[in-house]
Every structure is written in C-alpha cells, then in structure tokens.
C-alpha cells in the first residue's frame, strides 16, 4: 500500500506542474474560445490518472516524480544501513575500543530510528490516503443510489421537440436546474416549470454535453479528485474544468443557433439561477453551475477567426505534448535499462540452473564453457550446477559503460546468495563483461567474459566490503523473511525432543552467530554492547587489525526471567536465535 501511495504522490506532484501551466495558459486565452481552455484540462487528467508516461528530451517538465518521491522516502525504499552508521574505522585501538563501540552503536541506532520513522510516517500517510479515497468513493456511490431513487418519480417525455426519441428527456418537480444523469445511456432531467423557449435552449445545451461525452469526462475527473483528495489544487482544477466545460458548451450552442439568440439564451439561464435550490445531486450527476459567469461569457462572446483558431490549436497541441511527456536522460537511459534487464535475465538463469539459456547469452559456446565452471553438456542437453549450496537470490550492478549507445563494452557485478539447508548463506561474486552483438542472426547483448569468486571465508574488512557493500549500501539475506528462522526453531525442537546434540548452538550467542552468518574467519568476535530488548552489537576484529561492528538481534527473544550472559560470550538458551538486525531495511525481492 505504501508503494501505491508513493506512486499516487509522484503523479500528484507532476500534476501540480501541469496545473500551474494550465493556469497560466488559461489566463492568456481568456479572450479566446473556452474550448481551448477546456481541452487543456485533459493534460491534467492524464497526469492524475495515468501512472506511466512516455519519456522524451522535449518534455517541458523539469523534474522526474519518481526521483523526487524516491529521495523523500529513500530510507523506506532503499532500506539499508549506510557506511557511517555501520562500520568502524580501521585502527581498532584497544584504548579507544569501548568509546568507539558506543559511538558506532549510537550512530547505528540513530540511523535505524530515522529509517523506522520514515517507514512509519509513510505507512500512516498511506492508510490515511486510503481512508480518504474510500470515504469519497463511498459518498459518490451513496449519492448515485440516492439520486436514482429520487429520480424514479420523474416522467419521460419522448420526441416532444423534433419527433426524435434518441435522447430520453425526463421532467419532474423538485429539481432547480437541468442535468444529465447516467453513463452508457444518459438521460436529460429538466425542471417541470421550464417554458417551451427555455426548454429549447436548455436541451440544445445538454445535447452538446452528451454528444461530447462531457458527463464521462466529469466522472473521470471526479475519480481523479478521489485519488488525489489531499491535493487542494486538484479540487480547484475540478471546479475550473467544470466552468470551462460549461462555457465551451454555451459557445457551441451559440455557434449552432446563431449569435442573435444570446439575449434569449441568457434569460433562459437567468431564470434557472433565480429558482430555489432543489434536491442535492452530489458529484455523480452532471448539473449546470456557475450561471452568472456563463451569462457574462455568453453576452461577450464573439466568434473567432478560423485561421487564429487553427494556429492556437497547433501551439496548444505542442505544449500539451510537452506536458504529457516525462523528462528523459536520452537514449542512454533507455539503453541502460536494457542492459540491466539483460543482467537480470542472466542472473535468473544462473539461479535457475538453466544451462541452455546461459550458453545462449554468451558470444559462443566455447566462451560459456570457459567461464562457467559448473556447465556440462550431455548430448544436446546442457546441465549446470549441483544441489547445494546454490544461489537463490541476487543483486546486480552495472559498473561501467564504455562507448556511446550500444557501442562499446559493458562491465557489471552480480552478487549471488548461495543457500544450504543448514541453513547457511555464502556470497558468490561474479564480474562479467558483455557487448551488443549479432549471434545466430539475432542482435542482443552477449557475455564475452565472466569470472566468479566464492566468498565463503572473509578475513578482512576489505573482503567484508567486497561481499556485502553493494552500490554504497550494506545488503544481506534476511533470515526471517527467507524462512531460516522457522527452520532453525524446528531443528532445535527436534533436537530437544530426541535428546540429541543442539546442531544450531552457533546461534545461541551474538558472537558466534555473527561470525558464522557473515562467514568471518581468522579473527575474533566480541559483544561490545547489549540492550534490554534483545539487541546487541558485535565487534569483529580481523587478523590484520581491521574491524567491523555488526548489529545483531535475538529473533526469538522473549521477555522471561531466564538469564544468560550474552555480553560475556555466554552460550544462551535453546530459545535464543541471534540474527543480523535487519529490521530497518527490506530484503531484496
């Protein structure tokens, strides 16, 4: 729900830019036909309802809404620990160890609190937004059923004016203004007190609305208001759109009947404005409003020149196109997306052990055989990999693009997370190069070289960063989300019932758990801080003196009277399962 709200918020931000542009254009077009102003609102409607848009360097927008919302909610979206709040310096001197640990732990907690706060605010905003949408939609549906029940008393008048029964016209007492109600087969509802000449003008006006499907346009715009109810400019736009719609419809009637009827037409509208308010129609019916402004526009209306209208139409089409297109970084951005898509397919094929697809993604079979150590071929069938360990998730980063467009070589890195049933996870890091080429009569990207490293023994901070620091963010497998916690607890319960050895004893202490989970070797782990809610910070010092601070949490923590000396390296209880403290970020999906 939070992601949907972020999308709506991005659409609303873009719409604000378009609304401001329409406001300016309306003021410049105030002496022109209102049809131009009315049509401009279609740009705003598109921005409010369409979550996607084409990109172009011609775009008149100077901001990407996805980038803006991504920056505002970056902590909730990216959800990773940053370097300053996670790693210590490299010296690790003994006399500063305690103070450094406290400082780093404090920075980590601040970062986590900031991230949690952003996520909570976003979640609350999403819930409030959804409640507002539900209230407005519920009110609209209730108003429609209420009005439909009220209109059941209306009587139908067919073909009374021109012998045609194509439009169904109804009359009844209790309504003060004519309106259109219905979607597929709309009906025109008139006050019963209208005189024949007034009916003529009113019906001409309503038939223009139906012919232009204005009743559907209003319904769509009202739907946009329901989605963007938190944006006051959207409400204002709805009212101004209604005004421009009515005035442009009036001008169409005058062009058809002739400007000589302006006085009579105005008197017909004025008689409606003098009536007492009738039944409240709500937002779903298409009623007439703003009669005084319409009358002023009718009396001052003069038919414009065709040449002027044609030039204005062309200019407005160009401006509208610029407002409907998102800004683009050019072809390079699109091609970068293609390259990332290629890397995604490659990594998925690797995780799926799809040997055939992998071979097809290399420039030739020989290169694939040299680059893929687990590739084998039996007859015409490719096999790839073994049972365990094997990667089940990945992250990929495009590190370098040489040359312009599709020309040149591209370099990338893929981090695979290989699982075993222990459960345990190690990191496989693959570096590869690929180019745009034609193979077998088909143009596509192809891998020219790849090399993979199995990082199951991390013995320095440099190796730790290489394994877990991805695009300036520390990323790890979420043991809870992947079901590892349940597996550990199930194994523990089985061992307890059978009286066997606790095969998951490594998870009972934050020290041993951190060393095991992060595949750390050659150094020593020490818990430097703990708190009352089952959290701890482990400092791991490598043989070369470098060190890292590792936030841990007791995922099976229970507030009981059982005691265990975790800070002094105690083994803990059988219910303890210490895992990386990943509460403030989301696992990659």
């Amino acid at each position: 729900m939070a992601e949907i709200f972020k999308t709506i918020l991005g659409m609303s931000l873009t719409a604000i830019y378009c609304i401001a542009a329409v406001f300016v254009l309306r003021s410049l077009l105030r002496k022109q036909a209102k049809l131009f102003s009315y049509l401009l609102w279609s740009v705003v409607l598109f921005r409010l309802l369409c979550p996607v848009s084409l990109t172009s360097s011609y775009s008149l927008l100077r901001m990407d809404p996805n980038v803006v919302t991504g920056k505002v909610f970056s902590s909730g979206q990216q959800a990773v620990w940053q370097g300053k709040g996670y790693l210590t310096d490299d010296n690790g001197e003994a006399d500063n160890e305690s103070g450094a640990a406290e400082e780093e732990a404090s920075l980590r907690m601040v970062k986590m609190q900031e991230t949690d706060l952003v996520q909570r605010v976003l979640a609350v905003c999403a819930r409030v937004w959804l409640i507002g949408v539900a209230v407005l939609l519920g009110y609209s549906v209730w108003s429609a059923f209420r009005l439909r029940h009220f209109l059941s008393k209306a009587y139908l008048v067919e073909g009374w004016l021109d012998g045609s029964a194509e439009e169904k016209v109804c009359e009844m007492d209790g309504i003060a203004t004519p309106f259109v109600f219905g979607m597929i087969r709309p009906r025109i509802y008139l006050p019963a007190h209208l005189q024949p000449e007034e009916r003529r003008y009113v019906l001409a006006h309503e038939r223009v609305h139906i012919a232009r499907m204005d009743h559907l346009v209003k319904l769509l715009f009202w739907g946009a208001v329901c989605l963007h109810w938190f944006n006051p400019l959207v409400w204002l736009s709805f009212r101004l759109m209604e005004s421009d719609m009515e005035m442009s419809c009036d001008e169409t009637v005058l062009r058809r009947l002739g400007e000589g009827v302006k006085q009579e037409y105005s008197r017909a509208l004025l008689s409606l404005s003098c009536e007492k308010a009738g039944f409240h129609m709500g937002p779903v019916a298409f009623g007439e409003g703003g009669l005084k402004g319409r009358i002023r526009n009718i009396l001052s209306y003069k038919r414009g020149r065709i040449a002027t209208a044609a030039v204005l139409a062309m200019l407005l089409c160009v401006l509208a196109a610029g407002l409907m297109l998102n800004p683009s970084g050019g072809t390079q951005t699109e091609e970068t997306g293609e390259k990332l898509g290629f890397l995604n397919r490659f990594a998925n094929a690797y995780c799926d052990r799809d040997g055939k697809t992998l071979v097809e993604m290399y420039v030739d079979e020989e290169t694939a055989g040299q680059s893929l150590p687990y590739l084998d071929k039996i007859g015409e069938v490719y096999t790839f990999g073994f049972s365990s360990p094997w990667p089940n998730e990945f992250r990929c980063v495009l590190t370098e693009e040489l040359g312009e467009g599709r020309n040149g070589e591209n370099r990338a890195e893929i981090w695979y997370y290989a699982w075993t049933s222990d459960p345990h996870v190690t990191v496989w890091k693959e570096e590869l190069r690929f180019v745009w080429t034609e193979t077998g009569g088909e143009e596509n990207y192809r891998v020219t070289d790849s090399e993979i490293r199995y990082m199951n023994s991390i013995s320095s901070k440099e190796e730790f960063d290489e394994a877990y620091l991805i695009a300036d963010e520390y990323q790890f497998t979420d043991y809870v989300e992947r079901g590892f916690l349940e597996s550990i607890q199930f194994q523990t319960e089985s061992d307890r019932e059978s009286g066997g050895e606790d095969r998951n004893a490594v998870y009972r202490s934050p020290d041993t758990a951190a060393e095991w989970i992060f595949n750390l070797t050659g150094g020593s782990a020490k818990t430097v801080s703990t708190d009352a809610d089952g959290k701890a910070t482990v400092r791991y010092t490598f043989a070369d003196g470098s060190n890292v601070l590792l936030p841990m949490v007791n995922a099976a923590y229970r507030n009981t009277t059982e005691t265990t000396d975790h800070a002094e390296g105690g083994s803990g209880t059988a219910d303890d399962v210490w895992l990386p403290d990943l509460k403030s970020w989301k696992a990659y999906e």
Side-chain angles (χ1 to χ4, degrees):
M1 184 55 62
E3 292 300 319
I4 296 176
F5 175 66
K6 283 169 60 178
T7 300
I8 294 295
L9 185 59
M11 294 162 60
S12 201
L13 290 173
T14 310
I16 289 176
Y17 191 94
C18 295
I19 290 170
V22 172
F23 284 173
V24 173
L25 292 173
R26 283 181 82 251
S27 64
L28 297 176
L29 296 173
R30 61 183 180 276
K31 294 184 179 181
Q32 303 298 324
K34 296 301 179 182
L35 179 63
F36 295 121
S37 299
Y38 175 44
L39 292 177
L40 282 174
W41 291 112
S42 61
V43 177
V44 176
L45 183 61
F46 171 81
R47 283 297 186 180
L48 290 173
L49 293 180
C50 186
V52 296
S53 178
L54 297 176
T55 59
S56 172
S57 57
Y58 165 66
S59 174
L60 297 180
L61 270 67
R62 288 299 173 261
M63 68 172 185
D64 187 339
N66 296 321
V67 172
V68 173
T69 54
K71 289 181 178 179
V72 172
F73 298 110
S74 59
S75 296
Q77 182 181 25
Q78 298 173 2
V80 295
W81 284 313
Q82 301 297 327
K84 288 184 178 179
Y86 192 70
L87 294 179
T88 68
D89 54 17
D90 289 336
N91 52 43
E93 297 180 5
D95 55 346
N96 292 329
E97 184 176 285
S98 178
E102 292 179 1
E103 181 180 357
E104 294 295 339
S106 176
L107 289 173
R108 174 178 63 84
M109 291 304 298
V110 169
K111 179 62 181 178
M112 291 173 60
Q113 290 169 1
E114 290 176 352
T115 303
D116 287 342
L117 178 61
V118 171
Q119 290 180 331
R120 288 196 297 269
V121 169
L122 182 59
V124 170
C125 290
R127 292 189 183 97
V128 172
W129 166 75
L130 185 61
I131 292 172
V133 173
V135 169
L136 287 174
L137 290 179
Y139 168 67
S140 302
V141 172
W142 174 79
S143 296
F145 279 104
R146 181 169 174 262
L147 179 58
R148 184 177 181 180
H149 176 72
F150 175 75
L151 295 177
S152 61
K153 304 174 185 178
Y155 53 91
L156 186 65
V157 179
E158 297 187 57
W160 65 274
L161 181 63
D162 54 3
S164 171
E166 292 182 2
E167 289 109 355
K168 292 188 176 181
V169 181
C170 299
E171 292 184 355
M172 71 172 295
D173 294 319
I175 57 176
T177 181
F179 61 90
V180 174
F181 183 62
M183 292 178 59
I184 300 176
R185 295 179 179 177
R187 294 188 178 189
I188 301 173
Y189 290 87
L190 303 176
H193 60 76
L194 289 181
Q195 299 300 315
E197 192 65 17
E198 293 173 344
R199 288 176 177 169
R200 176 195 174 198
Y201 296 127
V202 169
L203 280 175
H205 180 92
E206 301 301 337
R207 284 169 175 158
V208 171
H209 277 317
I210 294 176
R212 299 192 316 187
M213 294 188 290
D214 287 344
H215 56 294
L216 297 181
V217 173
K218 181 179 178 181
L219 191 61
L220 284 174
F221 218 117
W222 174 249
V225 171
C226 293
L227 287 177
H228 301 267
W229 60 266
F230 54 87
N231 189 339
L233 288 180
V234 176
W235 291 89
L236 178 60
S237 298
F238 180 67
R239 296 306 176 193
L240 293 177
M241 181 278 300
E242 280 188 309
S243 176
D244 291 339
M245 176 190 289
E246 293 298 334
M247 292 183 184
S248 66
C249 188
D250 291 332
E251 292 174 354
T252 301
V253 173
L254 293 179
R255 284 196 298 272
R256 292 181 178 180
L257 300 181
E259 295 185 26
V261 302
K262 288 197 292 185
Q263 296 291 336
E264 292 80 2
Y265 189 37
S266 298
R267 280 195 290 268
L269 296 181
L270 185 60
S271 67
L272 295 174
S273 67
C274 294
E275 293 295 326
K276 296 181 180 179
F279 184 84
H280 178 64
M281 296 179 294
V284 292
F286 188 84
E288 310 303 330
L291 292 177
K292 293 181 179 179
R294 289 171 55 192
I295 290 173
R296 287 195 296 268
N297 185 66
I298 290 170
L299 295 177
S300 61
Y301 172 74
K302 293 182 180 179
R303 190 165 186 171
R305 298 179 180 179
I306 296 179
T308 302
V311 172
L312 278 176
M314 292 176 60
L315 289 174
L316 292 178
C317 284
V318 172
L319 292 172
L323 292 172
M324 295 175 74
L325 294 170
N326 279 343
S328 171
T331 307
Q332 183 179 2
T333 302
E334 299 174 3
E335 289 170 354
T336 298
E338 292 178 358
K339 295 170 184 177
L340 289 173
F342 171 79
L343 292 174
N344 238 347
R345 293 192 300 274
F346 182 91
N348 272 309
Y350 201 104
C351 291
D352 293 339
R353 313 180 198 190
D354 187 349
K356 180 177 182 297
T357 299
L358 285 172
V359 171
E360 292 173 350
M361 299 184 79
Y362 279 82
V363 289
D364 52 50
E365 185 178 10
E366 181 181 359
T367 303
Q370 294 173 351
S371 302
L372 299 172
Y374 302 124
L375 182 67
D376 196 6
K377 187 176 183 180
I378 303 175
E380 296 300 320
V381 178
Y382 293 100
T383 61
F384 185 63
F386 46 86
S387 60
S388 179
W390 200 257
N392 285 277
E393 55 178 318
F394 63 87
R395 279 82 157 159
C396 50
V397 174
L398 184 63
T399 57
E400 192 170 10
E401 300 176 82
L402 304 178
E404 297 182 359
R406 293 193 176 105
N407 300 322
E409 185 180 65
N410 305 280
R411 298 174 184 174
E413 294 176 334
I414 303 176
W415 286 260
Y416 299 102
Y417 293 79
W419 300 359
T420 65
S421 58
D422 289 326
H424 187 56
V425 178
T426 57
V427 178
W428 299 1
K429 184 178 180 181
E430 185 171 29
E431 297 180 2
L432 54 83
R433 302 179 182 184
F434 61 98
V435 297
W436 180 265
T437 184
E438 180 178 350
T439 302
E442 180 184 354
E443 286 189 329
N444 209 330
Y445 291 104
R446 296 289 190 278
V447 178
T448 59
D449 181 43
S450 66
E451 182 180 356
I452 195 164
R453 294 178 55 200
Y454 307 103
M455 308 188 71
N456 53 5
S457 178
I458 297 173
S459 58
S460 68
K461 178 187 168 186
E462 182 180 357
E463 290 182 357
F464 184 89
D465 286 351
E466 189 175 359
Y468 301 116
L469 185 60
I470 305 174
D472 298 324
E473 298 174 346
Y474 286 93
Q475 302 188 34
F476 314 96
T477 290
D478 190 331
Y479 272 51
V480 176
E481 182 175 301
R482 299 305 177 186
F484 294 170
L485 175 60
E486 288 82 353
S487 177
I488 294 170
Q489 292 174 323
F490 175 79
Q491 292 174 0
T492 299
E493 189 65 28
S494 298
D495 294 341
R496 181 183 295 170
E497 292 176 356
S498 64
E501 183 181 355
D502 184 4
R503 74 188 95 169
N504 290 312
V506 68
Y507 294 105
R508 307 305 173 218
S509 165
D511 296 352
T512 55
E515 188 171 6
W516 166 250
I517 291 171
F518 293 107
N519 303 287
L520 308 178
T521 60
S524 60
K526 180 180 180 181
T527 301
V528 295
S529 67
T530 58
D531 53 36
D533 58 352
K535 294 185 179 182
T537 301
V538 175
R539 177 191 292 275
Y540 191 88
T541 303
F542 297 101
D544 63 0
S546 61
N547 61 88
V548 290
L549 282 181
L550 307 170
M552 304 293 289
V553 63
N554 192 341
Y557 176 77
R558 295 185 304 174
N559 186 18
T560 68
T561 58
E562 299 177 10
T563 60
T564 179
D565 190 7
H566 298 302
E568 299 299 328
S571 60
T573 71
D575 292 317
D576 291 332
V577 180
W578 287 92
L579 299 176
D581 188 359
L582 309 182
K583 182 180 179 181
S584 62
W585 64 279
K586 298 176 183 177
Y588 177 86
E589 296 181 357

